[in-house]
Amino acid sequence: MSEFQMPRGIVISGTGLWTPPDAISNEELVQALNAYAEKYNRENADAIESGELQAKPYSSAEFIEKASGIKSRYVVSKEGILDPERMRPYLPARGDDELSLQAEMGLKAAKLALEKANKKPEDIDAVIVGASYLQRAYPAIAIEIQAQLGIDGFAFDMEVACSSATFSLQRAVDTISGGSAKAVLVINPELASPQVDYTDRDSHFIFGDVAVASVVERRETCSGESAWEVLGTKAKTLFSNNIRSNFGYVARAEDSDPFGPGKLFRQNGRKVFKEVCPMAASHLETQVEELGMQPAAIDRWWLHQANINMNNLIAKKLMGDEASTERAPVVLDRYANTASAGSVIAFNLHSDDLPVGSKGVICSFGAGYSIGSLALEKIAV
């Protein structure tokens, strides 16, 4: 056992997936973007002709699917996103005495995870919320959910962009391993749509909203129908400017527009593809080898769901000619990129069919750069 591997006996005993009611197809997004671009180009025709401004390019559903593999996405609210006069979701403000939207999303997924794990709130000692975007700085969304469930213990929020889910799962494993808790509820409520620039052809289609949750506990307390034992975890970060979101409260002191150019999500897609794919493949190969296995012995890879071309390349590096959507399931075609939640969605939807003794890896990669992964084995309860 390497110095970075934790003792055995910690399991993921249940996961929950909450899917928003509203879906938006590529065709709907393209229609809205093209109407916006036509209006913008018409109103700024003189400046565009003189070279002061660049014309807004048009998009197509075919371009989106070829570039990303995405066909549709779920959002908390369609209202406003498809309006060429608005191009952002409309989410009514809630009072301080009301449940926040992100807590509401997380609570729904949490209840499903608790049910799957056959656990009650009194069985949980800690709540960790990990998400790429947090609705507010404080009080923590995790503490708000903790209060709603009536959990006696501690809770906190954390953010590592698209690796927030895997990193928060690892923190849960470490917390249990260190004796601070016996069972941890990990929640990843990804409310990404407010951070999307729906006027930008290269990024308006990328993200969707969703919430996932997982129960992590000691094997001896597990009472669900099945569980996945954590064989090992691995995390890596490396600074890069190629994926960035500069939105933040400091804009007020800078006298800048908090929603202005460069403040919302942006990326250099070509560099991300070129740099992250080999990093992720090497990370995963190293992890399973440290555990005494080869990639060929892994029955299922629940990869980060950002881009189908990235997933295909990483799967090919790991599995060679044996790469398939059965061994590396794809959910981004209908969920789009759900930031940190994608690999947990894949795990939730594509793990029950595997027999006891099967091995799999949950993996994320994203801004930072950050890469997080958990190697698992299905056990009988």
Side-chain angles (χ1 to χ4, degrees):
M1 182 172 69
S2 79
E3 60 178 316
F4 296 111
Q5 293 176 30
M6 76 292 294
R8 298 283 291 271
I10 298 173
V11 302
I12 298 175
S13 56
T15 59
L17 166 63
W18 177 75
T19 301
D22 287 354
I24 300 178
S25 67
N26 288 349
E27 289 76 11
E28 289 176 293
L29 272 188
V30 166
Q31 184 177 1
L33 174 68
N34 289 350
Y36 170 83
E38 182 178 356
K39 178 177 179 292
Y40 177 92
N41 293 341
R42 183 177 64 251
E43 293 176 349
N44 297 280
D46 292 341
I48 292 171
E49 186 175 356
S50 67
E52 295 177 37
L53 293 175
Q54 288 189 336
K56 292 287 185 182
Y58 297 96
S59 187
S60 70
E62 293 76 20
F63 160 75
I64 293 173
E65 187 171 350
K66 182 178 180 181
S68 66
I70 296 169
K71 299 178 182 178
S72 185
R73 72 281 301 138
Y74 294 97
V75 293
V76 170
S77 175
K78 290 177 72 168
E79 185 177 357
I81 293 176
L82 303 178
D83 181 358
E85 300 293 333
R86 182 177 176 86
M87 301 299 281
R88 62 187 186 277
Y90 174 66
L91 303 173
R94 299 184 179 186
D96 290 352
D97 59 344
E98 296 180 278
L99 185 64
S100 71
L101 177 55
Q102 204 165 25
E104 179 183 298
M105 295 168 61
L107 188 61
K108 291 176 179 177
K111 289 179 177 178
L112 293 171
L114 289 170
E115 181 181 358
K116 181 72 177 292
N118 194 30
K119 284 284 178 284
K120 296 179 180 178
E122 52 263 37
D123 299 319
I124 304 298
D125 305 304
V127 178
I128 302 175
V129 163
S132 297
Y133 301 105
L134 292 167
Q135 188 171 349
R136 61 170 184 267
Y138 47 81
I141 302 296
I143 300 177
E144 186 178 11
I145 296 174
Q146 175 195 11
Q148 289 291 315
L149 290 171
I151 292 173
D152 182 20
F154 62 93
F156 61 90
D157 293 346
M158 59 177 290
E159 186 273 315
V160 200
C162 285
S163 287
S164 296
T166 54
F167 274 51
S168 57
L169 283 167
Q170 290 181 53
R171 297 295 74 73
V173 170
D174 293 344
T175 298
I176 295 170
S177 180
S180 299
K182 294 180 181 178
V184 181
L185 179 59
V186 177
I187 308 169
N188 312 111
E190 288 292 4
L191 180 59
S193 58
Q195 267 279 340
V196 176
D197 183 355
Y198 288 100
T199 71
D200 176 34
R201 187 197 68 158
D202 292 334
S203 64
H204 75 120
F205 57 86
I206 294 178
F207 290 106
D209 300 328
V210 80
V212 293
S214 309
V215 174
V216 184
E217 60 180 312
R218 292 197 175 277
R219 180 171 182 168
E220 58 263 29
T221 66
C222 184
S223 59
E225 295 183 2
S226 64
W228 288 83
E229 185 170 13
V230 180
L231 304 179
T233 68
K234 192 175 182 67
K236 176 75 173 180
T237 54
L238 179 70
F239 183 76
S240 170
N241 266 320
N242 289 325
I243 311 174
R244 199 169 180 99
S245 176
N246 286 333
F247 176 79
Y249 73 97
V250 178
R252 179 173 180 264
E254 296 171 340
D255 295 332
S256 63
D257 179 0
F259 307 104
K263 298 296 185 181
L264 302 178
F265 167 84
R266 71 181 193 272
Q267 69 173 346
N268 184 329
R270 292 181 183 276
K271 284 190 175 181
V272 171
F273 186 92
K274 183 178 179 180
E275 295 172 359
V276 170
C277 287
M279 282 177 57
S282 175
H283 175 101
L284 293 168
E285 287 175 343
T286 300
Q287 181 180 23
V288 298
E289 287 171 359
E290 287 176 347
L291 293 169
M293 300 180 290
Q294 294 297 318
I298 302 301
D299 300 290
R300 194 151 292 169
W301 300 90
W302 300 287
L303 299 176
H304 180 58
Q305 302 287 311
N307 181 288
I308 191 62
N309 301 306
M310 294 181 73
N311 281 31
N312 286 344
L313 180 58
I314 293 169
K316 184 74 173 178
K317 286 180 176 292
L318 293 170
M319 295 178 278
D321 293 337
E322 299 298 318
S324 67
T325 54
E326 181 179 355
R327 291 186 66 192
V330 174
V331 300
L332 66 86
D333 54 344
R334 57 193 176 104
Y335 277 89
N337 183 339
T338 48
S340 74
S343 55
V344 183
I345 297 174
F347 175 72
N348 175 275
L349 296 176
H350 299 283
S351 60
D352 287 346
D353 62 308
L354 293 173
V356 170
S358 298
K359 295 178 175 62
V361 177
I362 299 175
C363 176
S364 66
F365 36 88
Y369 295 131
S370 60
I371 303 177
S373 54
L374 297 93
L376 310 173
E377 180 177 355
K378 193 169 187 177
I379 62 171
V381 176

mmCIF file of all heavy atoms in Angstrom, residues 18-53:
data_model
loop_
_atom_site.group_PDB
_atom_site.id
_atom_site.type_symbol
_atom_site.label_atom_id
_atom_site.label_comp_id
_atom_site.label_asym_id
_atom_site.label_seq_id
_atom_site.Cartn_x
_atom_site.Cartn_y
_atom_site.Cartn_z
ATOM 1 N N TRP A 18 -31.010 14.566 -8.591
ATOM 2 C CA TRP A 18 -32.183 15.403 -8.844
ATOM 3 C C TRP A 18 -31.987 16.125 -10.169
ATOM 4 O O TRP A 18 -30.996 16.826 -10.370
ATOM 5 C CB TRP A 18 -32.408 16.431 -7.737
ATOM 6 C CG TRP A 18 -33.573 17.329 -8.065
ATOM 7 C CD1 TRP A 18 -34.894 17.014 -7.992
ATOM 8 C CD2 TRP A 18 -33.510 18.667 -8.575
ATOM 9 N NE1 TRP A 18 -35.667 18.079 -8.421
ATOM 10 C CE2 TRP A 18 -34.840 19.106 -8.772
ATOM 11 C CE3 TRP A 18 -32.457 19.536 -8.871
ATOM 12 C CZ2 TRP A 18 -35.140 20.379 -9.263
ATOM 13 C CZ3 TRP A 18 -32.753 20.802 -9.361
ATOM 14 C CH2 TRP A 18 -34.082 21.213 -9.554
ATOM 15 N N THR A 19 -32.932 15.932 -11.081
ATOM 16 C CA THR A 19 -32.887 16.533 -12.404
ATOM 17 C C THR A 19 -33.928 17.639 -12.494
ATOM 18 O O THR A 19 -35.102 17.393 -12.220
ATOM 19 C CB THR A 19 -33.166 15.472 -13.485
ATOM 20 O OG1 THR A 19 -32.196 14.426 -13.384
ATOM 21 C CG2 THR A 19 -33.108 16.089 -14.876
ATOM 22 N N PRO A 20 -33.538 18.857 -12.876
ATOM 23 C CA PRO A 20 -34.506 19.951 -13.008
ATOM 24 C C PRO A 20 -35.600 19.620 -14.016
ATOM 25 O O PRO A 20 -35.391 18.811 -14.935
ATOM 26 C CB PRO A 20 -33.654 21.130 -13.490
ATOM 27 C CG PRO A 20 -32.263 20.805 -13.045
ATOM 28 C CD PRO A 20 -32.164 19.316 -13.142
ATOM 29 N N PRO A 21 -36.757 20.246 -13.877
ATOM 30 C CA PRO A 21 -37.880 19.923 -14.766
ATOM 31 C C PRO A 21 -37.751 20.492 -16.174
ATOM 32 O O PRO A 21 -38.347 19.955 -17.105
ATOM 33 C CB PRO A 21 -39.083 20.543 -14.045
ATOM 34 C CG PRO A 21 -38.492 21.665 -13.239
ATOM 35 C CD PRO A 21 -37.143 21.176 -12.804
ATOM 36 N N ASP A 22 -36.992 21.567 -16.347
ATOM 37 C CA ASP A 22 -36.902 22.225 -17.654
ATOM 38 C C ASP A 22 -35.705 21.725 -18.450
ATOM 39 O O ASP A 22 -34.588 21.626 -17.921
ATOM 40 C CB ASP A 22 -36.775 23.737 -17.494
ATOM 41 C CG ASP A 22 -38.072 24.391 -17.058
ATOM 42 O OD1 ASP A 22 -39.102 23.693 -16.993
ATOM 43 O OD2 ASP A 22 -38.062 25.610 -16.776
ATOM 44 N N ALA A 23 -35.917 21.406 -19.720
ATOM 45 C CA ALA A 23 -34.839 21.018 -20.626
ATOM 46 C C ALA A 23 -34.804 21.981 -21.801
ATOM 47 O O ALA A 23 -35.841 22.498 -22.240
ATOM 48 C CB ALA A 23 -35.034 19.588 -21.124
ATOM 49 N N ILE A 24 -33.608 22.229 -22.309
ATOM 50 C CA ILE A 24 -33.426 23.107 -23.467
ATOM 51 C C ILE A 24 -32.602 22.356 -24.506
ATOM 52 O O ILE A 24 -31.497 21.888 -24.221
ATOM 53 C CB ILE A 24 -32.713 24.415 -23.090
ATOM 54 C CG1 ILE A 24 -33.518 25.200 -22.055
ATOM 55 C CG2 ILE A 24 -32.489 25.278 -24.325
ATOM 56 C CD1 ILE A 24 -32.838 26.488 -21.607
ATOM 57 N N SER A 25 -33.125 22.245 -25.704
ATOM 58 C CA SER A 25 -32.422 21.554 -26.780
ATOM 59 C C SER A 25 -31.414 22.493 -27.441
ATOM 60 O O SER A 25 -31.470 23.722 -27.296
ATOM 61 C CB SER A 25 -33.409 21.059 -27.827
ATOM 62 O OG SER A 25 -34.005 22.169 -28.506
ATOM 63 N N ASN A 26 -30.481 21.907 -28.192
ATOM 64 C CA ASN A 26 -29.541 22.712 -28.979
ATOM 65 C C ASN A 26 -30.278 23.650 -29.920
ATOM 66 O O ASN A 26 -29.905 24.813 -30.087
ATOM 67 C CB ASN A 26 -28.616 21.810 -29.793
ATOM 68 C CG ASN A 26 -27.582 21.095 -28.938
ATOM 69 O OD1 ASN A 26 -27.408 21.413 -27.765
ATOM 70 N ND2 ASN A 26 -26.906 20.120 -29.524
ATOM 71 N N GLU A 27 -31.326 23.129 -30.537
ATOM 72 C CA GLU A 27 -32.060 23.920 -31.511
ATOM 73 C C GLU A 27 -32.676 25.174 -30.875
ATOM 74 O O GLU A 27 -32.672 26.259 -31.477
ATOM 75 C CB GLU A 27 -33.158 23.076 -32.159
ATOM 76 C CG GLU A 27 -32.656 21.983 -33.111
ATOM 77 C CD GLU A 27 -32.071 20.772 -32.394
ATOM 78 O OE1 GLU A 27 -32.235 20.673 -31.162
ATOM 79 O OE2 GLU A 27 -31.450 19.927 -33.068
ATOM 80 N N GLU A 28 -33.190 25.021 -29.660
ATOM 81 C CA GLU A 28 -33.774 26.172 -28.963
ATOM 82 C C GLU A 28 -32.706 27.213 -28.633
ATOM 83 O O GLU A 28 -32.919 28.426 -28.806
ATOM 84 C CB GLU A 28 -34.467 25.709 -27.684
ATOM 85 C CG GLU A 28 -35.742 24.924 -27.904
ATOM 86 C CD GLU A 28 -36.307 24.418 -26.592
ATOM 87 O OE1 GLU A 28 -35.674 23.552 -25.955
ATOM 88 O OE2 GLU A 28 -37.390 24.900 -26.197
ATOM 89 N N LEU A 29 -31.565 26.746 -28.143
ATOM 90 C CA LEU A 29 -30.481 27.676 -27.819
ATOM 91 C C LEU A 29 -29.988 28.422 -29.057
ATOM 92 O O LEU A 29 -29.741 29.629 -29.016
ATOM 93 C CB LEU A 29 -29.307 26.912 -27.200
ATOM 94 C CG LEU A 29 -29.288 26.696 -25.697
ATOM 95 C CD1 LEU A 29 -27.956 26.091 -25.286
ATOM 96 C CD2 LEU A 29 -29.547 27.972 -24.919
ATOM 97 N N VAL A 30 -29.842 27.689 -30.150
ATOM 98 C CA VAL A 30 -29.346 28.285 -31.393
ATOM 99 C C VAL A 30 -30.317 29.328 -31.913
ATOM 100 O O VAL A 30 -29.905 30.415 -32.360
ATOM 101 C CB VAL A 30 -29.092 27.187 -32.447
ATOM 102 C CG1 VAL A 30 -28.919 27.796 -33.829
ATOM 103 C CG2 VAL A 30 -27.877 26.363 -32.063
ATOM 104 N N GLN A 31 -31.591 29.037 -31.858
ATOM 105 C CA GLN A 31 -32.588 30.003 -32.324
ATOM 106 C C GLN A 31 -32.487 31.310 -31.535
ATOM 107 O O GLN A 31 -32.534 32.407 -32.115
ATOM 108 C CB GLN A 31 -33.992 29.424 -32.187
ATOM 109 C CG GLN A 31 -35.086 30.332 -32.732
ATOM 110 C CD GLN A 31 -36.469 29.698 -32.638
ATOM 111 O OE1 GLN A 31 -36.632 28.582 -32.148
ATOM 112 N NE2 GLN A 31 -37.476 30.403 -33.124
ATOM 113 N N ALA A 32 -32.317 31.211 -30.227
ATOM 114 C CA ALA A 32 -32.207 32.409 -29.390
ATOM 115 C C ALA A 32 -30.906 33.154 -29.664
ATOM 116 O O ALA A 32 -30.897 34.388 -29.793
ATOM 117 C CB ALA A 32 -32.298 32.022 -27.923
ATOM 118 N N LEU A 33 -29.797 32.414 -29.748
ATOM 119 C CA LEU A 33 -28.509 33.063 -29.997
ATOM 120 C C LEU A 33 -28.487 33.766 -31.344
ATOM 121 O O LEU A 33 -28.024 34.911 -31.466
ATOM 122 C CB LEU A 33 -27.382 32.042 -29.933
ATOM 123 C CG LEU A 33 -26.005 32.594 -30.320
ATOM 124 C CD1 LEU A 33 -25.506 33.590 -29.287
ATOM 125 C CD2 LEU A 33 -24.984 31.485 -30.506
ATOM 126 N N ASN A 34 -28.980 33.095 -32.371
ATOM 127 C CA ASN A 34 -28.962 33.690 -33.705
ATOM 128 C C ASN A 34 -29.855 34.922 -33.791
ATOM 129 O O ASN A 34 -29.528 35.899 -34.486
ATOM 130 C CB ASN A 34 -29.365 32.655 -34.753
ATOM 131 C CG ASN A 34 -28.288 31.598 -34.956
ATOM 132 O OD1 ASN A 34 -27.164 31.737 -34.456
ATOM 133 N ND2 ASN A 34 -28.614 30.533 -35.671
ATOM 134 N N ALA A 35 -30.974 34.909 -33.086
ATOM 135 C CA ALA A 35 -31.834 36.098 -33.044
ATOM 136 C C ALA A 35 -31.121 37.240 -32.334
ATOM 137 O O ALA A 35 -31.204 38.400 -32.764
ATOM 138 C CB ALA A 35 -33.154 35.762 -32.335
ATOM 139 N N TYR A 36 -30.417 36.910 -31.256
ATOM 140 C CA TYR A 36 -29.647 37.933 -30.538
ATOM 141 C C TYR A 36 -28.534 38.483 -31.435
ATOM 142 O O TYR A 36 -28.322 39.707 -31.510
ATOM 143 C CB TYR A 36 -29.040 37.350 -29.263
ATOM 144 C CG TYR A 36 -28.043 38.263 -28.611
ATOM 145 C CD1 TYR A 36 -28.461 39.284 -27.762
ATOM 146 C CD2 TYR A 36 -26.670 38.123 -28.863
ATOM 147 C CE1 TYR A 36 -27.532 40.136 -27.173
ATOM 148 C CE2 TYR A 36 -25.745 38.974 -28.285
ATOM 149 C CZ TYR A 36 -26.175 39.979 -27.439
ATOM 150 O OH TYR A 36 -25.266 40.830 -26.869
ATOM 151 N N ALA A 37 -27.805 37.591 -32.127
ATOM 152 C CA ALA A 37 -26.697 38.017 -32.986
ATOM 153 C C ALA A 37 -27.195 38.899 -34.125
ATOM 154 O O ALA A 37 -26.565 39.917 -34.462
ATOM 155 C CB ALA A 37 -25.973 36.786 -33.534
ATOM 156 N N GLU A 38 -28.319 38.518 -34.706
ATOM 157 C CA GLU A 38 -28.882 39.325 -35.800
ATOM 158 C C GLU A 38 -29.236 40.729 -35.311
ATOM 159 O O GLU A 38 -28.925 41.726 -35.976
ATOM 160 C CB GLU A 38 -30.119 38.636 -36.362
ATOM 161 C CG GLU A 38 -30.747 39.368 -37.537
ATOM 162 C CD GLU A 38 -31.946 38.633 -38.115
ATOM 163 O OE1 GLU A 38 -32.238 37.526 -37.647
ATOM 164 O OE2 GLU A 38 -32.583 39.187 -39.029
ATOM 165 N N LYS A 39 -29.843 40.823 -34.153
ATOM 166 C CA LYS A 39 -30.210 42.120 -33.575
ATOM 167 C C LYS A 39 -28.961 42.942 -33.245
ATOM 168 O O LYS A 39 -28.885 44.140 -33.553
ATOM 169 C CB LYS A 39 -31.051 41.890 -32.318
ATOM 170 C CG LYS A 39 -31.477 43.151 -31.573
ATOM 171 C CD LYS A 39 -32.366 42.775 -30.396
ATOM 172 C CE LYS A 39 -32.797 44.006 -29.600
ATOM 173 N NZ LYS A 39 -31.649 44.627 -28.890
ATOM 174 N N TYR A 40 -27.972 42.310 -32.632
ATOM 175 C CA TYR A 40 -26.739 42.998 -32.262
ATOM 176 C C TYR A 40 -26.017 43.519 -33.504
ATOM 177 O O TYR A 40 -25.565 44.672 -33.549
ATOM 178 C CB TYR A 40 -25.830 42.034 -31.494
ATOM 179 C CG TYR A 40 -24.488 42.616 -31.119
ATOM 180 C CD1 TYR A 40 -24.308 43.238 -29.890
ATOM 181 C CD2 TYR A 40 -23.384 42.515 -31.980
ATOM 182 C CE1 TYR A 40 -23.075 43.770 -29.529
ATOM 183 C CE2 TYR A 40 -22.147 43.044 -31.633
ATOM 184 C CZ TYR A 40 -21.999 43.669 -30.405
ATOM 185 O OH TYR A 40 -20.789 44.199 -30.061
ATOM 186 N N ASN A 41 -25.882 42.670 -34.498
ATOM 187 C CA ASN A 41 -25.176 43.061 -35.719
ATOM 188 C C ASN A 41 -25.899 44.176 -36.458
ATOM 189 O O ASN A 41 -25.261 45.067 -37.043
ATOM 190 C CB ASN A 41 -24.997 41.845 -36.634
ATOM 191 C CG ASN A 41 -24.061 40.803 -36.026
ATOM 192 O OD1 ASN A 41 -23.281 41.091 -35.125
ATOM 193 N ND2 ASN A 41 -24.145 39.576 -36.530
ATOM 194 N N ARG A 42 -27.228 44.142 -36.432
ATOM 195 C CA ARG A 42 -28.001 45.192 -37.088
ATOM 196 C C ARG A 42 -27.842 46.528 -36.359
ATOM 197 O O ARG A 42 -27.625 47.571 -36.987
ATOM 198 C CB ARG A 42 -29.478 44.788 -37.138
ATOM 199 C CG ARG A 42 -30.367 45.800 -37.873
ATOM 200 C CD ARG A 42 -31.803 45.304 -37.965
ATOM 201 N NE ARG A 42 -32.433 45.170 -36.648
ATOM 202 C CZ ARG A 42 -32.724 44.005 -36.077
ATOM 203 N NH1 ARG A 42 -32.431 42.870 -36.686
ATOM 204 N NH2 ARG A 42 -33.293 43.961 -34.884
ATOM 205 N N GLU A 43 -27.935 46.490 -35.050
ATOM 206 C CA GLU A 43 -27.849 47.718 -34.262
ATOM 207 C C GLU A 43 -26.447 48.309 -34.239
ATOM 208 O O GLU A 43 -26.278 49.505 -33.976
ATOM 209 C CB GLU A 43 -28.324 47.449 -32.837
ATOM 210 C CG GLU A 43 -29.807 47.122 -32.738
ATOM 211 C CD GLU A 43 -30.235 46.770 -31.328
ATOM 212 O OE1 GLU A 43 -29.332 46.576 -30.471
ATOM 213 O OE2 GLU A 43 -31.451 46.672 -31.078
ATOM 214 N N ASN A 44 -25.435 47.486 -34.492
ATOM 215 C CA ASN A 44 -24.045 47.949 -34.454
ATOM 216 C C ASN A 44 -23.372 47.853 -35.817
ATOM 217 O O ASN A 44 -22.140 47.726 -35.905
ATOM 218 C CB ASN A 44 -23.259 47.131 -33.428
ATOM 219 C CG ASN A 44 -23.766 47.310 -32.014
ATOM 220 O OD1 ASN A 44 -23.459 48.294 -31.343
ATOM 221 N ND2 ASN A 44 -24.562 46.347 -31.550
ATOM 222 N N ALA A 45 -24.174 47.949 -36.868
ATOM 223 C CA ALA A 45 -23.658 47.744 -38.224
ATOM 224 C C ALA A 45 -22.518 48.700 -38.561
ATOM 225 O O ALA A 45 -21.505 48.297 -39.133
ATOM 226 C CB ALA A 45 -24.789 47.892 -39.233
ATOM 227 N N ASP A 46 -22.656 49.979 -38.209
ATOM 228 C CA ASP A 46 -21.624 50.968 -38.558
ATOM 229 C C ASP A 46 -20.313 50.675 -37.836
ATOM 230 O O ASP A 46 -19.229 50.737 -38.430
ATOM 231 C CB ASP A 46 -22.105 52.377 -38.214
ATOM 232 C CG ASP A 46 -23.265 52.828 -39.098
ATOM 233 O OD1 ASP A 46 -23.439 52.223 -40.181
ATOM 234 O OD2 ASP A 46 -23.983 53.763 -38.702
ATOM 235 N N ALA A 47 -20.395 50.367 -36.530
ATOM 236 C CA ALA A 47 -19.186 50.076 -35.753
ATOM 237 C C ALA A 47 -18.523 48.791 -36.230
ATOM 238 O O ALA A 47 -17.290 48.686 -36.231
ATOM 239 C CB ALA A 47 -19.533 49.976 -34.273
ATOM 240 N N ILE A 48 -19.324 47.837 -36.635
ATOM 241 C CA ILE A 48 -18.776 46.581 -37.157
ATOM 242 C C ILE A 48 -18.070 46.824 -38.487
ATOM 243 O O ILE A 48 -16.970 46.324 -38.740
ATOM 244 C CB ILE A 48 -19.895 45.523 -37.310
ATOM 245 C CG1 ILE A 48 -20.405 45.094 -35.928
ATOM 246 C CG2 ILE A 48 -19.391 44.308 -38.091
ATOM 247 C CD1 ILE A 48 -21.638 44.225 -35.956
ATOM 248 N N GLU A 49 -18.680 47.635 -39.329
ATOM 249 C CA GLU A 49 -18.100 47.928 -40.641
ATOM 250 C C GLU A 49 -16.795 48.695 -40.511
ATOM 251 O O GLU A 49 -15.844 48.479 -41.289
ATOM 252 C CB GLU A 49 -19.090 48.733 -41.490
ATOM 253 C CG GLU A 49 -18.619 48.961 -42.912
ATOM 254 C CD GLU A 49 -19.658 49.660 -43.767
ATOM 255 O OE1 GLU A 49 -20.780 49.903 -43.272
ATOM 256 O OE2 GLU A 49 -19.357 49.950 -44.935
ATOM 257 N N SER A 50 -16.696 49.581 -39.514
ATOM 258 C CA SER A 50 -15.482 50.373 -39.317
ATOM 259 C C SER A 50 -14.385 49.602 -38.579
ATOM 260 O O SER A 50 -13.255 50.075 -38.478
ATOM 261 C CB SER A 50 -15.808 51.644 -38.535
ATOM 262 O OG SER A 50 -16.194 51.335 -37.199
ATOM 263 N N GLY A 51 -14.733 48.437 -38.043
ATOM 264 C CA GLY A 51 -13.756 47.638 -37.330
ATOM 265 C C GLY A 51 -13.694 47.896 -35.839
ATOM 266 O O GLY A 51 -12.879 47.294 -35.134
ATOM 267 N N GLU A 52 -14.566 48.778 -35.333
ATOM 268 C CA GLU A 52 -14.582 49.071 -33.897
ATOM 269 C C GLU A 52 -15.124 47.883 -33.100
ATOM 270 O O GLU A 52 -14.699 47.643 -31.962
ATOM 271 C CB GLU A 52 -15.434 50.306 -33.614
ATOM 272 C CG GLU A 52 -14.886 51.603 -34.204
ATOM 273 C CD GLU A 52 -15.818 52.769 -33.941
ATOM 274 O OE1 GLU A 52 -16.426 52.815 -32.852
ATOM 275 O OE2 GLU A 52 -15.954 53.630 -34.833
ATOM 276 N N LEU A 53 -16.065 47.167 -33.666
ATOM 277 C CA LEU A 53 -16.655 46.003 -33.024
ATOM 278 C C LEU A 53 -16.587 44.812 -33.971
ATOM 279 O O LEU A 53 -16.510 44.979 -35.197
ATOM 280 C CB LEU A 53 -18.117 46.261 -32.644
ATOM 281 C CG LEU A 53 -18.410 47.292 -31.558
ATOM 282 C CD1 LEU A 53 -19.927 47.482 -31.420
ATOM 283 C CD2 LEU A 53 -17.804 46.879 -30.224
#
